[in-house]
Amino acid sequence: MKKWLTIASFALILFLAACGSTNNDTADDGNADGEGSATETEETTTLVVGASNVPHAEILEEAKPMLAEEGIELQIETFQDYVLPNQALAGGDLDANYFQHIPYLNAQMEEHGYDFVNAGGIHIEPIGVYSKKYDSLDALPDEAHIIISSSVPDHGRILSLLEKEGLITLKEGVEKTTATIDDIVDNPKNLQFDTEYEASLLPQIYNNDEGDAVLINSNYAIDAGLNPIEDSIAIEESDSPYVNVIAVRSGDENKEAIKKLVEVLRSEEIQNFILEKYEGAVVPVSE
């Protein structure tokens, strides 16, 4: 009897040891799997970037594979207006946005108190003048109805273009990027400016043949099937200060993933893509 008890006890010890070994192995395997998942998470950074459909989201899509090679999973959230992307960035729903030029970014920060930083300029979208009635600015009649964006930060840009084309003169010494219609001191044709429409609606207004001329940002023009180089009767030159940037919350510009995003978007491969795809309607920059 004692012999059987001894054998049974010994067998029980072996069984418990085996179970312990199995559980440890399972735990080790589980930890290995867990560590593998954690490692993947550590090695792969998810970056959520808000963008306008064209050209910003298209450019980001082109950059996706290059960022993936750097361990960055890019998620693109598209927006149809100029207000929500900054709200989403401020609220933490985005890591960055890519849709706005520097004067607009500065105006938004001043108006709403956003604590944003320009992490790097990527491209310029020349603004163009479009007309179904006239084939040149010189042909515009007296008191021509000129339709422009309701976005005040775009007004200085538009007025600078019209001044350069000889249609108006702005007040001497005025900062061109912040100029408004009130800063016009000479308007020989007595052009009538209509500022009632959101920028996204301007292509439709042009297609409806409203007004004598409509000034449209290239991103909206391209999205509507217009070719800014061929369809406009005048277009802003590529030395424009209205560079479209990657905007982030203050301090995030130092994050490695953000630096890598800007680096990839400024790479020769992406710059060539921009030049070839948009044929001058979008112009890449390197700073």
Side-chain angles (χ1 to χ4, degrees), residues 44-102:
T44 303
T45 301
T46 300
L47 204 58
V48 184
V49 180
S52 298
N53 282 329
V54 179
H56 307 81
E58 293 179 341
I59 295 170
L60 289 172
E61 285 289 352
E62 188 70 16
K64 253 186 179 181
M66 298 174 64
L67 289 166
E69 291 177 1
E70 300 290 341
I72 298 172
E73 179 188 348
L74 181 62
Q75 293 183 6
I76 306 167
E77 300 289 340
T78 57
F79 294 84
Q80 298 293 334
D81 69 2
Y82 287 166
V83 177
L84 294 178
N86 280 333
Q87 291 179 352
L89 180 60
D93 296 323
L94 301 175
D95 297 305
N97 66 40
Y98 174 36
F99 78 100
Q100 61 194 325
H101 55 59
I102 295 171

Side-chain angles (χ1 to χ4, degrees), residues 78-241:
T78 57
F79 294 84
Q80 298 293 334
D81 69 2
Y82 287 166
V83 177
L84 294 178
N86 280 333
Q87 291 179 352
L89 180 60
D93 296 323
L94 301 175
D95 297 305
N97 66 40
Y98 174 36
F99 78 100
Q100 61 194 325
H101 55 59
I102 295 171
Y104 182 80
L105 172 62
N106 291 339
Q108 286 283 291
M109 289 193 293
E110 182 176 351
E111 181 178 353
H112 299 287
Y114 293 138
D115 190 13
F116 293 164
V117 173
N118 165 13
I122 309 302
H123 73 265
I124 297 168
E125 298 167 21
I127 200 165
V129 185
Y130 297 79
S131 176
K132 286 187 175 290
K133 298 181 177 76
Y134 306 99
D135 59 8
S136 71
L137 292 178
D138 291 338
L140 290 174
D142 288 347
E143 299 190 351
H145 181 199
I146 310 299
I147 300 176
I148 67 176
S149 164
S150 59
S151 174
V152 174
D154 272 341
H155 291 181
R157 180 182 194 180
I158 290 166
L159 297 174
S160 296
L161 170 59
L162 296 179
E163 182 180 51
K164 193 168 186 176
E165 294 291 340
L167 291 179
I168 62 169
T169 302
L170 293 172
K171 188 186 304 179
E172 186 176 353
V174 69
E175 170 55 49
K176 298 299 175 73
T177 60
T178 59
T180 68
I181 292 170
D182 292 337
D183 292 314
I184 298 174
V185 294
D186 190 22
N187 184 1
K189 289 193 173 186
N190 194 26
L191 301 177
Q192 303 298 306
F193 293 94
D194 184 344
T195 64
E196 296 300 313
Y197 301 95
E198 291 184 11
S200 60
L201 299 176
L202 296 177
Q204 186 60 50
I205 289 170
Y206 163 72
N207 286 326
N208 291 343
D209 200 11
E210 298 180 41
D212 294 304
V214 184
L215 283 97
I216 307 175
N217 299 70
S218 282
N219 61 314
Y220 289 126
I222 295 169
D223 199 23
L226 296 171
N227 184 318
I229 302 299
E230 296 178 2
D231 295 330
S232 66
I233 61 174
I235 195 164
E236 189 178 23
E237 295 183 357
S238 61
D239 61 355
S240 164

